[in-house]
Amino acid sequence: MRIDIFAVSGLALALAACSGPSEDTQSAPSEPMETSQDSSDVSEMEHGMALASADAPLCEGFGPQTPRDITNPEGLNPVMFALALEPAQMNLCNIHTHTNAEHKGPGFSVFVGDGVNGGYACNDAANLTEEELRDPYEGEGAFGQVSPGDTIEVHWVYSSCDIAPGEGLGSCLSDTCTDPVLRVEAQTFLVVNDPEALDFTTFDYAGAANEAGYHQPMMLPAGTGEPVLFRGSTTGPSYTQSTCSPLEVTWSVRPQCARVDISSLHRWAEEGNVFNETESHGVRQLVTAPELLSPIE
């Protein structure tokens, strides 16, 4: 299904499903992380079986879906679309986070559970020190739904539209650009209490268009492996393998985790980021059906 059949309001609604908060996100308690590899494997297998059950038929007539296991290149979805340009040639339109990782990758393969508080955790999340796990804000920081020891997946969303960054993914389009080409740069972080860890504010919007006329972040994460590039869709807890996203997105997902200081996330919210992001969002569970995935080239 092509996105140009949607009016601006409908497209904005579909985009918002990627990062918008839901009642489930706000009220559902965090599910305990599986620490046993055997238990994790069983839980993940049961989850995959549930998604493929007769009670959850696969959606049909849609392009490739996201999130996915980026170590598995297989996919049978026949819908192809041109990959987006490099991020430096597009406008940054939104930055938001998900708790835990929506994708599964070499550095974030610990299955946490089903639901909007499920997803995947960084492999070394269980090996943090007491000090790294200490919450200096005691749960009262400006950026909600995240604590030391949590895994977050951050999405830098880019649009082909001539727009400026703003609140929600509706900022990725405009009245005169209702069918944008979209790209997401993704990095999974392990949140720690450590001022020597990465400062999230250094990845924020630079504040103005650059000399080439494009809105960009101050920088993107580096040193976490060659990003895996593939065709997919928007994510977020509104979508499942039975309810697919109609939007076409070029994804660039880094395969390894990095550590980010919890205090820098709170500063990002306290300083009033242009995206008005004040909490981390829920996840869309992993898409495993080959019929819904694109082949990774």
Side-chain angles (χ1 to χ4, degrees), residues 25-38:
T25 307
Q26 302 300 314
S27 61
S30 298
E31 298 182 38
M33 181 184 300
E34 296 283 359
T35 56
S36 166
Q37 186 62 47
D38 291 341

Side-chain angles (χ1 to χ4, degrees), residues 165-190:
E167 182 175 352
L169 294 186
S171 61
C172 299
L173 66 156
S174 68
D175 290 343
T176 58
C177 183
T178 60
D179 187 14
V181 174
L182 299 171
R183 180 185 180 108
V184 177
E185 296 290 320
Q187 172 67 56
T188 298
F189 291 99
L190 179 58

Side-chain angles (χ1 to χ4, degrees), residues 54-286:
D55 295 332
L58 298 179
C59 50
E60 298 181 353
F62 291 85
Q65 299 295 295
T66 311
R68 67 181 297 160
D69 180 348
I70 62 172
T71 68
N72 183 357
E74 297 181 1
L76 300 176
N77 192 292
V79 176
M80 299 289 287
F81 54 87
L83 294 173
L85 296 173
E86 292 295 317
Q89 297 175 281
M90 302 180 73
N91 279 309
L92 177 72
C93 57
N94 187 260
I95 301 174
H96 62 269
T97 79
H98 297 265
T99 306
N100 296 274
E102 294 191 292
H103 289 85
K104 179 183 180 183
F108 37 99
S109 61
V110 179
F111 184 61
V112 176
D114 294 322
V116 299
N117 298 115
Y120 290 85
C122 294
N123 296 350
D124 58 345
N127 300 322
L128 297 178
T129 67
E130 183 177 345
E131 180 60 20
E132 289 171 328
L133 288 170
R134 185 179 65 83
D135 186 354
Y137 292 82
E138 298 182 342
E140 299 297 327
F143 193 71
Q145 306 295 326
V146 63
S147 301
D150 287 344
T151 294
I152 60 172
E153 182 175 314
V154 181
H155 294 164
W156 289 261
V157 189
Y158 293 80
S159 171
S160 61
C161 293
D162 184 14
I163 46 79
E167 182 175 352
L169 294 186
S171 61
C172 299
L173 66 156
S174 68
D175 290 343
T176 58
C177 183
T178 60
D179 187 14
V181 174
L182 299 171
R183 180 185 180 108
V184 177
E185 296 290 320
Q187 172 67 56
T188 298
F189 291 99
L190 179 58
V191 181
V192 294
N193 174 40
D194 181 2
E196 299 301 317
L198 293 173
D199 181 343
F200 188 73
T201 64
T202 63
F203 303 113
D204 196 9
Y205 170 47
N210 60 19
E211 293 182 357
Y214 295 109
H215 296 278
Q216 297 286 305
M218 287 182 277
M219 66 171 61
L220 287 171
T224 49
E226 182 70 23
V228 178
L229 192 69
F230 59 91
R231 295 171 177 85
S233 67
T234 53
T235 63
S238 296
Y239 298 117
T240 65
Q241 292 200 149
S242 296
T243 303
C244 282
S245 165
L247 302 183
E248 298 174 347
V249 180
T250 296
W251 282 85
S252 175
V253 181
R254 291 152 179 77
Q256 300 296 333
C257 284
R259 295 191 178 195
V260 67
D261 182 30
I262 182 68
S263 295
S264 67
L265 285 165
H266 291 312
R267 287 198 304 273
W268 188 55
E270 289 168 354
E271 294 169 1
N273 61 78
V274 69
F275 313 104
N276 196 27
E277 288 290 321
T278 59
E279 64 184 20
S280 194
H281 305 286
V283 303
R284 179 182 184 177
Q285 285 292 313
L286 202 71

